[in-house]
Amino acid sequence: MPSSRTSLLLIAFASFALVGAALYLQHAHDMLPCPLCVIQRYAFLGIGIASLVGALSGKLRAGAAVALLAALAGLGTVGKHLYVLANPGFSCGIDPMETILNRIPTATLLPWLFKAEGLCENATDGLFGLSIPQWSAVWFVLLTLALAWVLLAKRRAR
């Protein structure tokens, strides 16, 4: 089994790669992110940054704990996104959430990464048989389990 530090570095790499994949789909395939997609990007970046800082600073448990909170937030967000897809007519559409997200500093400074322009119910394009939100759910579950393993493995090592 990899060490906790190596696990956190792999988790950070995976999280950043997933945001890179989202940017590729957005800019190369014109898949505009909806507000829930943007929140999921924040969660993936939160996981990646917390894991990276924890691994590099030696504060493995703290980094894993903060990353786990971001992963759980991502799970909640993607759960809502899957609910929207499963219930046509229920939309996050153009609503106050989109307006708020597009006005925060990260969205105004980095609109190519954080500007919400799509509709949540349109996120049905598939990749290898799953929609993008379904893939996001798979990754949030995997990252949550990996982070829980890091926390439990570190506790057992004491």
Side-chain angles (χ1 to χ4, degrees):
M1 291 301 245
S3 71
S4 294
R5 181 180 309 274
T6 302
S7 296
L8 284 178
L9 290 172
L10 289 171
I11 290 167
F13 175 78
S15 298
F16 295 139
L18 289 165
V19 174
L23 288 172
Y24 171 76
L25 291 173
Q26 176 184 347
H27 296 291
H29 295 281
D30 295 323
M31 295 174 127
L32 297 176
C34 70
L36 294 173
C37 295
V38 171
I39 294 170
Q40 290 169 60
R41 288 182 185 186
Y42 281 115
F44 280 125
L45 287 171
I47 294 166
I49 292 168
S51 296
L52 186 62
V53 168
L56 296 178
S57 70
K59 299 196 182 295
L60 304 176
R61 284 186 47 78
V66 172
L68 183 59
L69 290 175
L72 292 172
L75 275 173
T77 303
V78 79
K80 180 174 181 185
H81 203 168
L82 293 174
Y83 179 82
V84 167
L85 292 177
N87 296 285
F90 184 87
S91 172
C92 70
I94 298 179
D95 61 13
M97 181 170 56
E98 181 176 335
T99 304
I100 292 168
L101 278 174
N102 287 340
R103 288 189 180 162
I104 60 176
T106 52
T108 56
L109 293 173
L110 303 169
W112 54 272
L113 178 61
F114 294 119
K115 187 170 183 184
E117 299 177 307
L119 296 174
C120 298
E121 66 268 11
N122 290 344
T124 57
D125 292 339
L127 184 65
F128 304 116
L130 296 176
S131 69
I132 301 306
Q134 289 170 326
W135 276 114
S136 192
V138 167
W139 279 103
F140 277 122
V141 167
L142 292 173
L143 293 170
T144 298
L145 292 173
L147 289 162
W149 179 84
V150 169
L151 283 170
L152 293 174
K154 191 65 180 167
R155 181 172 285 167
R156 284 191 306 261
R158 286 184 171 185

